[in-house]
Amino acid sequence: MKSLFLAALASVASAHYVFPAVIHNGVTTPDWTNVRQWTTYYTYGPVTDVTSLDIRCNVGGTTTKIGTNTTTVNAGDTLGFTVEPTSSGLYHPGPLIVYMAKAPSGTDVATWDGSGSVWFKIFEAGPTSFNASGPVWPYQTGGVTGVDQVFFTLPKALPTADYLLRIEHIAVHNAATVNGAQFYLSCAQLNVQNGGSGKPTPTVSFPGAYTPTDPGILYNLYSPWPQTTYVVPGPSVWTG
Ligand SMILES: *[C@@H]1O[C@H](CO)[C@@H](O)[C@H](O)[C@H]1NC(C)=O
Ligand SMILES: *[C@@H]1O[C@H](CO)[C@@H](O)[C@H](O)[C@H]1NC(C)=O
Ligand SMILES: [Cu+2]
């Protein structure tokens, strides 16, 4: 009985996922060197309260200074994050969203907390289609597995500056009750070079961007069956 219980606990823990590393120009950084290592990251667990500070850069991700390295990139580059554990990957149903926030000039992005209405969305991926099972999510590869790497492109018009980069996957399999949606997220620091002269808008704050009852956050994946709609939460995407 006891070992069964422990086995069940272990499978729950390993069932979730984290984004621990950045992929750029074919190079994957070590885990948690270029991504802020949040407190209790080893649980692979989600944030569920969108009104808490944890929704910004995960638990302790805005206050814990662990010397995270900043990744130098060019505007317009393709960037990626790894998903761990790789055996199950990004397996929950839900959208993938990427936000950025420019560090105020004179501020060291490595110690900046990302406060204020400074975050703009650069990428979102909701369902690619709907079939007789409901939404088809682009990062699920079938069965109970998902991809173990995700990629997106930085806008070419992004001004040269230091930024926080926030990746988020919202799992909606339990989202029919308030605070049931699961937010898997990490923040990395970027030094963006060769940028453009765009003005990223609209901007939002974290917490603040979401409410617990937003469509896409309070969402019943199973009713009506099959589901035929899904609204990705947050502001519109700034493409530059
Ligand atoms: C940042 O990079 C330096 C040099 O590559 C490395 O020695 C250091 O351990 C890195 N920082 C972290 C938090 O891993
Ligand atoms: C819906 O599409 C997904 C992804 O291609 C597939 O795994 C699933 O079997 C499909 N369901 C039905 C009922 O066609
Ligand atoms: Cu999970």
Side-chain angles (χ1 to χ4, degrees):
M1 227 20 220
K2 188 178 173 199
S3 59
L4 245 180
F5 174 70
L6 286 177
L9 261 187
S11 71
V12 167
S14 63
H16 305 304
Y17 37 91
V18 290
F19 299 100
V22 173
I23 309 165
H24 180 233
N25 287 343
V27 177
T28 302
T29 67
D31 286 358
W32 307 117
T33 61
N34 292 54
V35 175
R36 291 186 177 185
Q37 187 185 66
W38 45 280
T39 314
T40 64
Y41 68 93
Y42 46 82
T43 64
Y44 298 94
V47 175
T48 55
D49 180 359
V50 299
T51 68
S52 80
L53 179 59
D54 300 343
I55 199 69
R56 193 184 299 160
C57 285
N58 222 317
V59 184
T62 56
T63 50
T64 308
K65 310 295 186 280
I66 53 163
T68 304
N69 285 324
T70 299
T71 306
T72 299
V73 300
N74 286 322
D77 278 359
T78 294
L79 277 187
F81 280 86
T82 61
V83 185
E84 289 183 15
T86 55
S87 54
S88 44
L90 202 71
Y91 77 101
H92 284 315
L96 185 77
I97 310 176
V98 181
Y99 291 87
M100 294 182 77
K102 181 175 170 295
S105 51
T107 304
D108 179 3
V109 69
T111 56
W112 184 47
D113 67 0
S115 58
S117 180
V118 289
W119 295 90
F120 53 95
K121 190 189 267 180
I122 61 160
F123 177 85
E124 68 179 28
T128 47
S129 62
F130 295 83
N131 67 15
S133 307
V136 176
W137 305 98
Y139 300 98
Q140 289 186 314
T141 51
V144 293
T145 57
V147 298
D148 58 12
Q149 298 185 337
V150 294
F151 294 92
F152 51 90
T153 301
L154 302 179
K156 265 197 158 39
L158 202 60
T160 295
D162 284 350
Y163 294 85
L164 285 175
L165 173 71
R166 177 182 176 281
I167 181 134
E168 169 181 71
H169 192 247
I170 307 177
V172 295
H173 54 299
N174 286 327
T177 55
V178 169
N179 292 352
Q182 303 179 346
F183 296 77
Y184 296 90
L185 63 118
S186 283
C187 287
Q189 299 148 201
L190 294 186
N191 171 238
V192 175
Q193 301 191 340
N194 300 302
S197 53
K199 300 247 182 306
T201 51
T203 57
V204 293
S205 57
F206 283 104
Y210 301 152
T211 74
T213 55
D214 283 352
I217 292 179
L218 183 63
Y219 175 75
N220 194 327
L221 181 59
Y222 311 103
S223 179
W225 181 266
Q227 259 290 7
T228 54
T229 62
Y230 181 79
V231 178
V232 179
S236 54
V237 174
W238 181 72
T239 56

